């Protein structure tokens, strides 16, 4: 199978303390994987390393078959998108927020309008296009955040606990929509989550992180049957 992301020998130190120590990690093309672990395990930090937002202390990262180096880092980063827990919206209209990344990349205006309109409609917020983004509800804001990411046409999507601040009905609806979009587009995705109920509708495999290390990576049912230790078992069946 073709690999979307591959990481080898990744370490990250902060103030001489090891934050990450991952021997190997692979996300395959078209795959949706969940990354789980307790608070402070290093999940979000590892996501930022894979998304080329944080440089590791050592190790190699391959994105879509290319080894990341200073000369190609920006071009590879532009083939990916990240959705954070907080939408981090600009003080501008919904339309402007979704268009912002496309404008930065020099996409022609007609193409910008096409993509923005398509994704606002796809995520059910077309009627909010001219509304100030900072007046939206939490669920609406996260829909804008997702539209902004998908409009970039990423080949790899990173999702850092994007639903954790939402109420249950909103979260359930967004997860179902996201699952349908990822299946339709074939985008590879890594979802960081602490919510067991988000794994089954979205992810084919689960990577478990404890103390900055990937201690198990398998399908959810396999991990449930054969957890790699009590720490993993506690995460899967709390």
């Amino acid at each position: 199978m073709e690999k979307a992301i591959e990481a080898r020998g990744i370490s990250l130190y902060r103030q001489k303390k090891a934050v990450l120590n991952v021997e190997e990690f692979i996300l395959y093309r078209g795959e949706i994987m969940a990354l789980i672990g307790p608070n402070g395990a290093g999940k979000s930090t590892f996501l930022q390393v894979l998304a080329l937002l944080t440089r590791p202390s050592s190790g190699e990262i391959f994105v879509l078959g290319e080894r990341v180096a200073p000369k190609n880092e920006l071009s590879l980063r532009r083939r990916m998108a990240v959705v954070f827990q907080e939408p981090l919206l600009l003080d501008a209209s919904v339309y402007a927020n979704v268009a912002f990344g496309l404008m930065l990349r020099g996409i022609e205006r007609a193409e910008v309008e096409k993509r923005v309109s398509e994704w606002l409609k796809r995520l059910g917020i077309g009627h909010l296009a001219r509304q100030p983004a900072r007046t939206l509800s939490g669920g609406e804001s996260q829909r804008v955040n997702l539209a902004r990411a998908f409009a970039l046409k990423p080949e790899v999507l990173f999702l850092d606990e994007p639903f954790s601040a939402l109420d249950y009905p909103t979260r359930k609806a967004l997860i179902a929509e996201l699952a349908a979009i990822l299946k339709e587009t074939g985008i590879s995705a890594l979802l960081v989550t602490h919510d067991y109920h988000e794994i089954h509708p979205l992810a084919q495999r689960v990577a478990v992180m404890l103390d900055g290390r990937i201690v198990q990576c398998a399908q959810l049912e396999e991990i449930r049957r054969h957890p790699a230790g009590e720490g993993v078992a506690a995460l899967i069946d709390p």
Side-chain angles (χ1 to χ4, degrees), residues 85-151:
Q85 179 179 344
E86 295 295 330
L88 303 174
L89 300 180
L90 303 171
D91 188 12
S93 69
V94 167
Y95 182 97
N97 269 273
V98 178
F100 181 70
L102 297 170
M103 301 293 283
L104 279 181
R105 296 184 183 191
I107 305 297
E108 293 185 1
R109 183 171 295 276
E111 178 66 13
V112 171
E113 292 178 357
K114 176 184 175 183
R115 293 197 202 179
V116 173
S117 297
E118 174 188 348
W119 283 105
L120 289 180
K121 181 179 179 181
R122 180 69 177 80
L123 284 157
I125 49 174
H127 62 292
L128 301 175
R130 301 303 169 188
Q131 187 166 322
R134 292 186 177 177
T135 65
L136 302 178
S137 68
E140 290 168 342
S141 295
Q142 201 57 283
R143 287 176 182 275
V144 174
N145 204 13
L146 287 167
R148 181 167 56 186
F150 282 118

Side-chain angles (χ1 to χ4, degrees), residues 218-238:
Q219 292 186 348
L220 178 59
E221 289 306 313
E222 174 65 19
I223 294 176
R224 292 189 70 176
R225 288 195 301 266
H226 304 290
E230 294 181 2
V232 176
L235 287 170
I236 297 298
D237 289 307

Side-chain angles (χ1 to χ4, degrees), residues 25-60:
F25 174 85
I26 296 173
L27 174 71
Y28 292 103
R29 291 254 192 164
E31 179 182 30
I32 307 168
M33 180 187 287
L35 177 61
I36 67 171
N39 290 337
K43 304 184 300 297
S44 293
T45 301
F46 187 51
L47 179 146
Q48 290 173 27
V49 167
L50 297 177
L52 310 183
L53 300 176
T54 297
R55 287 188 176 177
S57 303
S58 64
E60 295 179 302

